Amino acid sequence: MAASNPPSAGGVMGPPSVARNAPASAASVPAPHPGLKRTAQAAFEEAPDTPPLVKMNGTPYAPQRHINDNYDIVGFISSGTYGRVYKAVSKRNSTKPVEPRPHPAGRNVEAFAIKKFKPDKEGAELQYTGISQSAIREMALCTELSHAALIHLVEIILESKCIFMVFEYAEHDLLQIIHHHSLLPRTPIPASTLRSCMYQLLSGLLYLHRNWVIHRDLKPANIMVTSRGEIKIGDLGLARLFYKPLHALFSGDKVVVTIWYRAPELLLGSRHYTPAIDLWAVGCIFAELLSLRPIFKGEEAKQDSKKTVPFQRNQMGKIGEVLGLPKKQEWPLLQAMPEYPSLQTVSMHNPGVNRPVGLDKWYRSTITNNNYNTQNGSPPPNESALDLLKRLLEYDPLKRLTAEQALHHPYFIGDGTGKPPSWNCFEGLDTKYPARKVSTEAHEISTGSLPGTKRSGLPDDSLLRPPMKKIRDG
Amino acid sequence: MAANYWDSTQAKHWTYTRPELTHLRNTLHPPTPNPTPTNKTPLPDPRHTSIYMQTHLTKLARRLNLRQQALATAQIYLKRFYLRVPLRKTNPYLLMATALYLSCKMEETPQHIRLMLGEAARQWPELGVTETSKIGECEFALISKLGSNLILHHPYRALSDLQALFGLTPEEVQLAQSIINDSYNTDLPLLYAPHIIAITAIFLAVVLRPASSTNLNANTNPGLQAFSTSTSNAFPASSASGTSTPSVTGTSAQNALAGFAGLRQAGPKLSKLVDWLAESQVAMEAIVDATQEMVSLYECWEGYSERSVKEGFTRFMREAGVK
């Protein structure tokens, strides 16, 4: 069982081609100890300081801060179409003292995750090609936003034709935690952890929505968890402002949200979607935390050409198997959806949608199958969890709970103890989750091929997930 | 952030007091004790520079069919950049093209870098750049100097929020919009919150309108010339005129200011505005100061000569070895 997520929407990635995109220096490091650290570091040295361009009309670009003067790279975390992520610590043997990097919460940031954006084209020599819109969005939004449940941006360094976004490092993410619990012997995620995770996630989401930001790619892999049990929403590469947009949201990015977490209005081709799409994704994440597997695990129909976006029949069917297909009595604007006619074809391919399981039954069997049991020390979540789940997985985006309404749901108010959820999701836990796999292996750096296409706003984490398997062994 | 100006990087990092601005600029351009004619070309009046840039950016933006907001954002990027880098050390044409290229991405109307370069080169023979990588490199410099603070709050939103409250006519809204466009040629965006600028523009528009309606036929009021031409142009969501005409002339703006004292007699709309201002938390001194700044801009505009700014640019680019 691979704990791999499908790539985020639109990420139509070919298999990694080894040679083409291998960073020159990483491929040919004749280090005496082909030490893993050396190689990870090499990725940061592949383009030594570009000589200032004399003809740059008076504005030769010279960075004010250098990544290698301030950070030591510890290893490689993941890669995607956007680039690669490395773990780093503050420079240790620096000639001049490296100033501490304060965190808004008052402490100093000890470890860093550095996201290195790939230049669009990669050849023998790097070229300035203009920064992708998704990188621009992420840089601008991360600089502007600050909340306890959002990943903290330490700084951005523009150097050697590359963009380095330096974030606080988070030891875990929800996908990793789900995976850990799904290993035999299968154990449920403790009810208190579940409730705290959901509360923090919704708090961060409320902050985003209040600031007119739709995340558009919420999924377990993008939700970080620190060793202190704090939830941190990450990856704002697809996020965008929705206050009076100059253009319909649809016209910018044709496809948003990883298929399993994609809201029905998106599947039905809605042009003017709202923050409610994030709440559907939160519902899917909630279900996945309960059952330890994606609730609607459909297969993505790939785009045949760039022009047309196919109807995601399979995914709609997976949702229908549990909820039944949407009906216009429950969702008045359903008939206005561009793909409404296609909806009729779902049941021909997937008769299961005619006899849906229903969320009640799904919930009961999930609780039973995952060994939630008061006797063995894993009491099930409060009964109100089912109601919250139903209101998040509501077809009609207008009826679906908003982040604010969800935070006022009885699930978070009265759990019998009367205590508000903790901001440490590990509070009272004995379980120790394995640390994030940080690879220092040479091949992982040089083979993680990144097709030279622009990120259509979406990461391809198919390359990101295989290391997860190794966590099991370690 | 988008919802809360007071928490934004604009409010926290890019809003100054007048003494702070003066200090920043003096550090950037140390006043030379004995400027010799052979030494350095004196810089044009900053407002004239700004008018020149706005005029040219508007032409470029219209060619690319861009929105007013992308144009406004690019202007602020340039303003901020030139608080940190001396104008005479740069190629202003490259900076203008790059600022617009970046602002288009930020305002969700991305343009291909090649198209931007092509259009910029066509418009400015002075650009002297033929490779897109130059815009790419300049983008790095620009973002770096801006500290990646790319999300902006413009007065247009406050204007659209307030227009119903004051019962503004479409003509008044349009004039206020033109005045906001003009405000990008002043320091106001670096001094005040966007709603202050919006209210100032509304105030000026309301004061000026009654005069215009009586004088429009006789065409004796040149103050609204730009305004009336602009309404007929096709530039989307914008009344920014392609020519370098201000929305208001210095004289009519001064009259407006004179009217500030006797506002209550000037009509129900004005007295409503004044009452609202008195009751609201809006800083009255800021409005008065901003109004004066706009009046001063319109006076300054009368001395604007496109040719002299252009020649100034050419000279200092030559001195810096840019060309």
Side-chain angles (χ1 to χ4, degrees):
Chain A
M1 181 219 54
S4 67
N5 265 7
S8 292
V12 191
M13 292 305 119
S17 66
V18 179
R20 187 167 54 96
N21 286 319
S25 63
S28 60
V29 186
H33 303 286
L36 310 168
K37 254 171 220 170
R38 273 287 297 114
T39 327
Q41 188 74 46
F44 282 74
E45 288 160 2
E46 60 190 57
D49 274 322
T50 333
L53 298 180
V54 188
K55 288 178 193 153
M56 181 48 197
N57 298 332
T59 57
Y61 178 66
Q64 286 146 325
R65 283 172 63 82
H66 299 270
I67 203 93
N68 284 318
D69 290 352
N70 293 281
Y71 302 98
D72 277 330
I73 307 306
V74 179
F76 165 81
I77 298 174
S78 64
S79 78
T81 39
Y82 55 83
R84 300 187 179 96
V85 182
Y86 300 86
K87 184 179 179 182
V89 292
S90 283
K91 192 85 184 165
R92 283 162 293 205
N93 299 316
S94 176
T95 44
K96 52 184 178 197
V98 175
E99 79 271 32
R101 312 296 306 191
H103 189 278
R107 61 197 145 83
N108 286 333
V109 183
E110 306 282 341
F112 306 88
I114 301 182
K115 188 167 181 174
K116 179 192 180 188
F117 283 92
K118 198 101 189 127
D120 278 349
K121 271 184 220 148
E122 214 178 5
E125 201 183 335
L126 288 179
Q127 279 276 358
Y128 286 109
T129 52
I131 303 170
S132 74
Q133 197 187 5
S134 106
I136 295 278
R137 272 180 193 148
E138 187 167 9
M139 291 162 75
L141 285 171
C142 289
T143 310
E144 204 75 24
L145 300 165
S146 175
H147 186 266
L150 275 193
I151 201 88
H152 168 63
L153 175 75
V154 175
E155 67 173 324
I156 297 175
I157 292 180
L158 297 162
E159 184 180 2
S160 306
K161 299 173 185 155
C162 291
I163 302 164
F164 299 94
M165 289 186 78
V166 182
F167 292 98
E168 64 176 309
Y169 174 76
E171 197 61 80
H172 315 281
D173 59 56
L174 285 186
L175 185 64
Q176 197 192 333
I177 287 175
I178 290 166
H179 182 71
H180 179 74
H181 281 276
S182 67
L183 302 176
L184 293 173
R186 199 177 172 88
T187 52
I189 294 178
S192 63
T193 301
L194 180 70
R195 184 162 169 261
S196 169
C197 285
M198 290 302 292
Y199 188 76
Q200 295 187 55
L201 171 58
L202 284 163
S203 303
L205 194 57
L206 174 61
Y207 172 81
L208 285 179
H209 289 175
R210 279 201 174 146
N211 285 292
W212 306 95
V213 176
I214 311 185
H215 186 284
R216 308 200 299 181
D217 200 15
L218 288 178
K219 56 179 172 180
N222 283 345
I223 298 167
M224 309 298 148
V225 186
T226 68
S227 48
R228 300 154 190 267
E230 304 148 320
I231 295 289
K232 305 278 181 186
I233 299 174
D235 200 345
L236 291 169
L238 249 196
R240 62 166 283 185
L241 294 169
F242 64 94
Y243 182 88
K244 288 192 184 167
L246 295 174
H247 290 270
L249 294 177
F250 175 80
S251 66
D253 311 85
K254 298 272 186 277
V255 186
V256 293
V257 192
T258 301
I259 187 79
W260 299 342
Y261 308 93
R262 201 177 295 167
E265 62 270 30
L266 292 173
L267 296 172
L268 293 171
S270 174
R271 299 295 197 262
H272 296 280
Y273 50 86
T274 63
I277 65 162
D278 284 340
L279 274 304
W280 178 272
V282 169
C284 297
I285 293 166
F286 191 23
E288 193 164 335
L289 289 170
L290 280 163
S291 74
L292 305 177
R293 52 172 72 93
I295 181 170
F296 308 129
K297 198 176 173 180
E299 277 162 35
E300 180 159 27
K302 297 290 180 194
Q303 276 173 251
D304 43 5
S305 75
K306 285 200 168 169
K307 302 244 166 65
T308 57
V309 179
F311 174 59
Q312 299 291 345
R313 185 177 291 110
N314 185 278
Q315 181 64 26
M316 199 67 230
K318 294 291 174 188
I319 299 173
E321 284 174 23
V322 179
L323 303 181
L325 291 179
K327 298 179 192 66
K328 56 178 187 279
Q329 296 84 342
E330 301 156 356
W331 183 358
L333 291 173
L334 179 62
Q335 280 170 291
M337 296 287 151
E339 294 286 2
Y340 178 69
S342 314
L343 195 58
Q344 320 307 323
T345 66
V346 174
S347 61
M348 295 190 300
H349 292 80
N350 186 346
V353 302
N354 297 323
R355 301 175 305 280
V357 179
L359 265 184
D360 289 270
K361 202 172 163 204
W362 179 91
Y363 184 82
R364 305 278 165 234
S365 59
T366 294
I367 295 296
T368 315
N369 294 342
N370 277 338
N371 307 316
Y372 275 113
N373 191 323
T374 312
Q375 274 78 50
N376 67 11
S378 307
N382 185 278
E383 274 299 294
S384 52
L386 171 60
D387 186 70
L388 175 61
L389 185 63
K390 280 183 183 169
R391 289 168 188 271
L392 289 171
L393 297 179
E394 159 68 53
Y395 270 126
D396 186 346
L398 292 173
K399 292 183 194 156
R400 201 174 301 149
L401 288 185
T402 64
E404 185 166 20
Q405 290 165 341
L407 284 168
H408 288 110
H409 190 271
Y411 176 63
F412 298 116
I413 308 294
D415 66 339
T417 67
K419 275 194 297 185
S422 169
W423 280 78
N424 171 5
C425 70
F426 300 145
E427 196 172 275
L429 246 61
D430 301 327
T431 328
K432 188 97 177 80
Y433 292 95
R436 184 182 296 283
K437 171 87 175 172
V438 175
S439 156
T440 44
E441 288 164 41
H443 73 267
E444 299 229 23
I445 288 146
S446 48
T447 58
S449 156
L450 303 165
T453 52
K454 280 197 183 188
R455 184 191 186 197
S456 64
L458 303 138
D460 168 31
D461 54 1
S462 58
L463 296 170
L464 184 156
R465 284 307 146 198
M468 289 295 297
K469 287 180 202 149
K470 291 172 190 157
I471 286 170
R472 249 187 303 183
D473 315 329
Chain B
M1 223 6 256
N4 190 351
Y5 162 78
W6 303 106
D7 284 341
S8 68
T9 51
Q10 181 171 338
K12 285 189 285 194
H13 306 316
W14 297 98
T15 304
Y16 303 89
T17 61
R18 278 186 200 275
E20 283 168 352
L21 270 187
T22 311
H23 176 74
L24 269 175
R25 290 194 175 123
N26 286 343
T27 322
L28 210 54
H29 316 277
T32 33
N34 289 316
T36 56
T38 50
N39 187 1
K40 276 185 173 178
T41 312
L43 289 171
D45 183 305
R47 286 173 293 187
H48 287 175
T49 306
S50 195
I51 292 167
Y52 180 79
M53 288 184 162
Q54 184 179 56
T55 311
H56 279 265
L57 279 173
T58 306
K59 279 186 194 159
L60 187 56
R62 191 170 302 164
R63 247 192 189 143
L64 293 162
N65 202 24
L66 302 178
R67 309 298 293 251
Q68 180 62 36
Q69 187 149 321
L71 184 63
T73 296
Q75 286 176 279
I76 299 293
Y77 290 169
L78 289 169
K79 251 181 211 308
R80 291 179 177 182
F81 181 83
Y82 284 125
L83 280 181
R84 298 192 165 185
V85 178
L87 177 66
R88 61 165 80 248
K89 292 232 165 96
T90 65
N91 174 347
Y93 298 101
L94 179 60
L95 257 305
M96 283 194 267
T98 307
L100 196 60
Y101 171 64
L102 180 60
S103 75
C104 286
K105 284 188 276 193
M106 229 17 257
E107 302 298 346
E108 304 289 344
T109 49
Q111 303 295 318
H112 198 280
I113 192 166
R114 201 165 293 283
L115 179 68
M116 188 60 80
L117 176 70
E119 290 296 324
R122 237 170 49 161
Q123 180 164 330
W124 302 310
E126 302 89 340
L127 180 67
V129 163
T130 50
E131 295 152 60
T132 53
S133 64
K134 298 293 183 206
I135 292 186
E137 181 180 20
C138 192
E139 184 179 33
F140 265 51
L142 183 57
I143 294 177
S144 179
K145 290 289 174 202
L146 299 180
S148 307
N149 298 157
L150 303 178
I151 295 175
L152 300 183
H153 296 254
H154 291 291
Y156 302 106
R157 193 156 116 194
L159 172 62
S160 70
D161 289 348
L162 291 171
Q163 66 185 67
L165 180 68
F166 296 126
L168 301 183
T169 64
E171 292 76 25
E172 286 163 338
V173 172
Q174 198 122 33
L175 181 56
Q177 222 162 46
S178 304
I179 294 170
I180 291 175
N181 296 346
D182 294 342
S183 75
Y184 287 89
N185 295 318
T186 67
D187 282 339
L188 290 179
L190 298 170
L191 292 168
Y192 295 117
H195 70 274
I196 298 285
I197 300 170
I199 293 168
T200 304
I202 292 173
F203 166 71
L204 279 169
V206 170
V207 171
L208 290 166
R209 269 312 282 174
S212 73
S213 50
T214 51
N215 289 339
L216 208 56
N217 291 337
N219 201 16
T220 52
N221 190 342
L224 292 164
Q225 211 174 337
F227 164 61
S228 46
T229 40
S230 67
T231 47
S232 59
N233 84 44
F235 193 48
S238 154
S239 45
S241 161
T243 64
S244 59
T245 359
S247 313
V248 181
T249 61
T251 337
S252 51
Q254 256 176 341
N255 293 342
L257 198 65
F260 208 51
L263 281 178
R264 285 178 180 281
Q265 287 77 50
K269 205 170 268 175
L270 263 182
S271 57
K272 181 171 180 189
L273 183 54
V274 171
D275 288 345
W276 181 83
L277 280 174
E279 282 165 31
S280 68
Q281 301 290 314
V282 176
M284 210 48 205
E285 321 84 80
I287 306 279
V288 173
D289 184 49
T291 309
Q292 275 163 346
E293 180 81 41
M294 289 308 293
V295 171
S296 160
L297 169 74
Y298 291 127
E299 283 167 355
C300 171
W301 210 311
E302 283 162 8
Y304 169 73
S305 145
E306 164 150 343
R307 216 181 71 198
S308 80
V309 179
K310 185 176 178 158
E311 285 170 0
F313 276 19
T314 309
R315 270 201 303 275
F316 74 65
M317 280 171 72
R318 203 179 296 132
E319 282 162 11
V322 161
K323 282 202 81 180

